[in-house]
Amino acid sequence: MQIQDLPYPDPGVPDVRSGRHFLWWLGRNQLGGQLKALAWGLLHFVAVSAQPFCVGFAIEAVVDRSGTRLALTGGVMALCGAATAIGDTFLHRAAVTNWITAAARVQQLLARKASQLGSALTRRVAAGEVVAVSTGDVEKIGWFVEAVSRFTAAALTIVLVCVGLVVYQPALGVVVALGLPALALSVLPLLPRATRRADFQREKAGRATELASDTVAGLRVLRGIGGEELFLDRYRSASQEVRHAAVRSARMWSLISAIQVLLPGLLLIVVVCYGVHLAREGRITVGELVTVYSSVMVMTYPLRHFEEIAMAYSFSRPSAKRAAGVLSLERATDIGGSRAADAPSGDLYDPATGLLAPAARLTAVVCGDPDAAGRLAERLGGHPPEDGPSVLLDGVPLDELPLDSARAAVLVQDKDPVLLSGSLRDLLDVPASGAVDADAALAAARCGDVLEALVQGSLDADDPMDARITERGRSLSGGQRQRLALARSLYTDPEVLVLDEPTSAVDSHTEARIAEGLRELRDGRTTVVFTSSPLLLDRADRVVLVHEGEAVAVGTHRELLHSEPRYRAVVTRETEEEAEERSLSGVLKDLEEKRMEEIEREEIEETA
């Protein structure tokens, strides 16, 4: 496959049993590219290795005073030079193609897995680890995949040269044939230690990356509480640990490199000494001695690829293991498409909590624990925990629907939605039913001032739809980002829309207008809103109180406010002391009323 064919129509199903299996799977899926690189590598290495033989033949031709043989040898050397240049050029081209295509395949697999798992991915794998896998680890995996073909070509060339030297000059050829494999295998005892040090370095680097990612994500909060220096000190400490680990790893690889230089030099000394001895005895010619000597010199070039493949495998194996670990994650139950592709429409019911969201109604859910509310919202979107039952839509488990149908049926907007960089038109370029236009969605989310701010920030945009949104919407306030994300969700117009705290960052006046717009635009559609805002709760058709993982009360906002103390405590932020005081004041008030009734009754009796 060529680079212009990327991305793959289907990246395939990876073998994620281990890092080795994953690397082997990648290699098998690029067999054509590997064979192409191998062919060009063989042309390059064989042409380079043939030069010493040409030099030897030329020397013998000069000694024998044969002009014809000298001219023929010169022509062969010219052909070898051309083959060396052509082979090197196309080997590099094929190897880079293999690197890019392998990296692209891994990134496609990671993107597909992220879309399948949704927010459940970051609950099971740290966000920094996911970033590290999709960036640095992908590069290391691609490095190994593209190095395999060069290493194979180099190894085959060494075998061919050894066989050729044994045939050309058996006395010296046997020495070289025994020495070159020994050189290639000499660093094997050091590889386990080098691999462990590389793994340790990667572990420290991953920790530093996670710490940096968390620090950047919470920078605004850190500035507010004055915790910048604390986290910077932590990152400095983690960075120093990475530096020390990198130095220890580099020392081992430097030792391996030194051995790769030292041992070939020792082999050259042995070949020269033994070759001179044979030449003195007349058993070999000067041309043969020069040929063998030059061949050993040239073989240091393909031998370097043994070091490269060792380094590439040592660095890529843990990277492949981490990538396989992410790709092996599955949803709690298999969405295998056992049901029809058409998503049902009806009541949304969660067997674990007893939460029921009737079809075509606006249901508000009050949960005292924000984290529990977020998990419940994810459950309603089809991401149950591993030991929990699936949510039912019209009696059909979401996990039995094809993934596309499940995602089209239920859309979950979490409390921290992401806005990608681009224009507002790009933001709203999402799969939608077509029943809601962009203007209506923006109006319902009360985005008028947001559009004005975007136009003012984009000097070249007369149409608000062409206004630019910066990365993650950082140029906008939290409330503006929430409203744009809400508009995007409303524009999608799913069968079931689940909103987790959609107005937590807006003022009360805007929140009241959003509540009206949400109710009007979602009329006749199933909507579930996780909130504790009285403005939203008062406009819901029904309100459900979820306490300790169970739906314990159902009613309207006003009914629950008067009849359910736990609901009132969450919505009004009433503390236990305030509840006791209010209860006590109520008792005193009742006693006072009874006392007044008794006084009135006594006065009536006295009058009578």
Side-chain angles (χ1 to χ4, degrees):
M1 176 169 290
Q2 300 298 320
I3 293 179
Q4 61 263 28
D5 297 326
L6 297 175
Y8 294 101
D10 179 13
V13 179
D15 187 347
V16 294
R17 289 176 293 173
S18 67
R20 292 194 304 272
H21 286 93
F22 183 61
L23 290 174
W24 175 247
W25 178 84
L26 282 175
R28 285 190 291 108
N29 277 269
Q30 290 183 209
L31 188 58
Q34 294 287 357
L35 292 176
K36 184 183 296 184
L38 175 61
W40 290 117
L42 283 174
L43 175 63
H44 172 63
F45 288 121
V46 170
V48 171
S49 303
Q51 293 285 358
F53 290 89
C54 294
V55 172
F57 289 142
I59 292 175
E60 291 181 357
V62 172
V63 172
D64 296 339
R65 300 181 181 277
S66 175
T68 303
R69 287 166 52 194
L70 183 61
L72 180 60
T73 304
V76 174
M77 291 183 68
L79 290 176
C80 288
T84 299
I86 294 173
D88 188 31
T89 300
F90 285 95
L91 169 62
H92 179 73
R93 178 187 177 90
V96 171
T97 300
N98 288 336
W99 184 92
I100 294 176
T101 51
R105 187 187 297 273
V106 177
Q107 288 178 328
Q108 273 190 262
L109 292 171
L110 291 171
R112 184 176 68 181
K113 181 59 64 176
S115 66
Q116 290 175 349
L117 294 176
S119 58
L121 175 62
T122 52
R123 292 205 318 269
R124 301 168 69 177
V125 181
E129 184 71 9
V130 177
V131 173
V133 170
S134 59
T135 54
D137 285 339
V138 166
E139 292 184 2
K140 294 180 177 64
I141 292 170
W143 177 27
F144 174 76
V145 172
E146 62 98 4
V148 167
S149 54
R150 287 203 306 267
F151 162 73
T152 306
L156 291 176
T157 300
I158 290 175
V159 172
L160 291 174
V161 170
C162 290
V163 172
L165 288 177
V166 171
V167 174
Y168 176 69
Q169 175 42 249
L172 280 178
V174 172
V175 176
V176 176
L178 295 177
L180 286 178
L183 293 180
L185 302 177
S186 60
V187 297
L188 286 182
L190 299 177
L191 289 181
R193 181 177 298 181
T195 301
R196 287 194 298 269
R197 292 190 179 186
D199 290 348
F200 183 73
Q201 176 194 352
R202 175 58 184 80
E203 179 183 346
K204 292 297 182 180
R207 170 58 184 159
T209 302
E210 292 178 18
L211 188 59
S213 177
D214 293 341
T215 302
V216 172
L219 189 58
R220 181 176 299 178
V221 177
L222 292 175
R223 286 175 176 171
I225 63 176
E228 296 173 82
E229 287 301 323
L230 174 62
F231 274 79
L232 285 175
D233 289 340
R234 291 182 180 178
Y235 181 75
R236 290 190 188 101
S237 177
S239 179
Q240 289 302 312
E241 292 179 0
V242 174
R243 183 178 67 84
H244 290 305
V247 169
R248 294 183 70 248
S249 179
R251 286 173 180 168
M252 183 55 64
W253 289 111
S254 298
L255 177 60
I256 292 175
S257 298
I259 291 175
Q260 290 287 304
V261 173
L262 175 64
L263 294 184
L266 294 178
L267 180 60
L268 277 175
I269 294 174
V270 172
V271 168
V272 170
C273 293
Y274 186 55
V276 170
H277 172 70
L278 294 177
R280 286 178 176 178
E281 294 182 350
R283 296 170 57 183
I284 64 172
T285 64
V286 176
E288 292 174 339
L289 176 59
V290 172
T291 298
V292 177
Y293 171 81
S294 302
S295 296
V296 175
M297 285 282 293
V298 170
M299 282 301 98
T300 58
Y301 170 49
L303 277 174
R304 301 295 296 181
H305 289 80
F306 283 77
E307 177 189 353
E308 182 194 17
I309 197 65
M311 291 183 65
Y313 180 73
S314 298
F315 283 99
S316 66
R317 184 186 59 82
S319 297
K321 182 179 179 181
R322 282 184 291 272
V326 174
L327 295 175
S328 64
L329 296 176
E330 297 291 345
R331 296 181 64 183
T333 52
D334 180 32
I335 301 183
S338 57
R339 299 271 180 171
D342 295 334
S345 59
D347 297 345
L348 186 67
Y349 177 68
D350 178 26
T353 60
L355 172 63
L356 174 66
R361 303 281 294 279
L362 174 58
T363 302
V365 181
V366 175
C367 187
D369 183 359
D371 294 333
R375 292 191 294 269
L376 180 54
E378 292 171 359
R379 285 181 52 78
L380 296 180
H383 299 286
E386 296 184 1
D387 56 349
S390 172
V391 171
L392 305 179
L393 180 59
D394 196 24
V396 178
L398 281 180
D399 288 341
E400 293 186 7
L401 292 174
L403 184 60
D404 294 342
S405 299
R407 291 288 167 81
V410 182
L411 174 66
V412 178
Q413 176 183 307
D414 60 25
K415 65 185 65 177
D416 187 21
V418 175
L419 302 181
L420 301 179
S421 60
S423 66
L424 183 58
R425 196 183 309 278
D426 296 332
L427 177 70
L428 298 178
D429 186 16
V430 293
S433 66
V436 177
D437 58 33
D439 292 337
L442 291 167
R446 301 303 185 252
C447 294
D449 62 318
V450 184
L451 299 181
E452 294 177 1
L454 288 175
V455 171
Q456 292 175 0
S458 303
L459 300 179
D460 56 344
D462 297 329
D463 186 351
M465 297 298 291
D466 295 326
R468 302 295 298 176
I469 299 175
T470 58
E471 180 186 2
R472 299 181 66 89
R474 298 189 188 278
S475 61
L476 303 173
S477 67
Q480 290 174 329
R481 289 196 298 269
Q482 272 193 338
R483 282 179 280 166
L484 282 180
L486 177 60
R488 178 177 58 187
S489 300
L490 294 175
Y491 175 71
T492 303
D493 189 39
E495 182 67 31
V496 179
L497 177 60
V498 180
L499 303 172
D500 186 7
E501 294 289 355
T503 59
S504 59
V506 301
D507 59 83
S508 58
H509 176 69
T510 305
E511 187 176 31
R513 297 174 61 205
I514 290 175
E516 295 174 358
L518 177 64
R519 184 173 180 83
E520 293 174 1
L521 194 64
R522 292 291 297 176
D523 185 36
R525 308 288 271 174
T526 307
T527 309
V528 182
V529 182
F530 287 82
T531 183
S532 59
S533 168
L535 294 172
L536 285 173
L537 294 170
D538 194 40
R539 288 165 175 77
D541 296 316
R542 67 199 306 266
V543 179
V544 180
L545 172 63
V546 177
H547 180 69
E548 295 182 353
E550 182 180 357
V552 295
V554 180
T556 64
H557 168 61
R558 300 175 187 270
E559 292 173 352
L560 294 178
L561 198 61
H562 290 89
S563 63
E564 180 55 60
R566 292 172 294 186
Y567 178 83
R568 184 169 54 249
V570 175
V571 174
T572 64
R573 274 68 169 179
E574 185 180 60
T575 64
E576 294 183 3
E577 291 78 5
E578 292 172 340
E580 291 177 358
E581 291 178 2
R582 188 177 54 78
S583 178
L584 180 59
S585 63
V587 172
L588 293 176
K589 183 178 180 180
D590 292 341
L591 292 175
E592 183 66 24
E593 291 177 353
K594 290 181 180 179
R595 177 60 180 165
M596 293 299 296
E597 290 176 359
E598 291 177 359
I599 293 174
E600 291 177 359
R601 188 168 57 251
E602 290 175 357
E603 290 177 352
I604 293 173
E605 290 176 354
E606 290 176 358
T607 303

